[in-house]
Short mmCIF file of all heavy atoms in Angstrom, two decimals:
data_model
loop_
_atom_site.label_atom_id
_atom_site.label_comp_id
_atom_site.label_asym_id
_atom_site.label_seq_id
_atom_site.Cartn_x
_atom_site.Cartn_y
_atom_site.Cartn_z
N HIS A 20 -29.99 -209.19 134.03
CA HIS A 20 -28.91 -209.90 134.68
C HIS A 20 -29.44 -211.16 135.34
O HIS A 20 -30.30 -211.08 136.23
CB HIS A 20 -28.23 -208.99 135.73
CG HIS A 20 -27.50 -207.83 135.14
ND1 HIS A 20 -28.08 -206.59 135.07
CD2 HIS A 20 -26.27 -207.74 134.57
CE1 HIS A 20 -27.21 -205.76 134.47
NE2 HIS A 20 -26.09 -206.45 134.19
N SER A 26 -31.79 -214.40 141.95
CA SER A 26 -31.70 -214.07 143.35
C SER A 26 -33.05 -213.54 143.88
O SER A 26 -33.49 -213.92 144.97
CB SER A 26 -30.61 -213.05 143.60
OG SER A 26 -29.34 -213.56 143.27
N LYS A 145 -40.56 -178.36 146.74
CA LYS A 145 -40.15 -177.21 145.95
C LYS A 145 -41.34 -176.57 145.23
O LYS A 145 -41.44 -175.36 145.12
CB LYS A 145 -39.09 -177.61 144.93
CG LYS A 145 -37.73 -177.94 145.56
CD LYS A 145 -36.74 -178.38 144.50
CE LYS A 145 -35.41 -178.79 145.13
NZ LYS A 145 -34.44 -179.28 144.11
#
Side-chain angles (χ1 to χ4, degrees):
H20 294 97
S26 295
K145 289 178 183 178

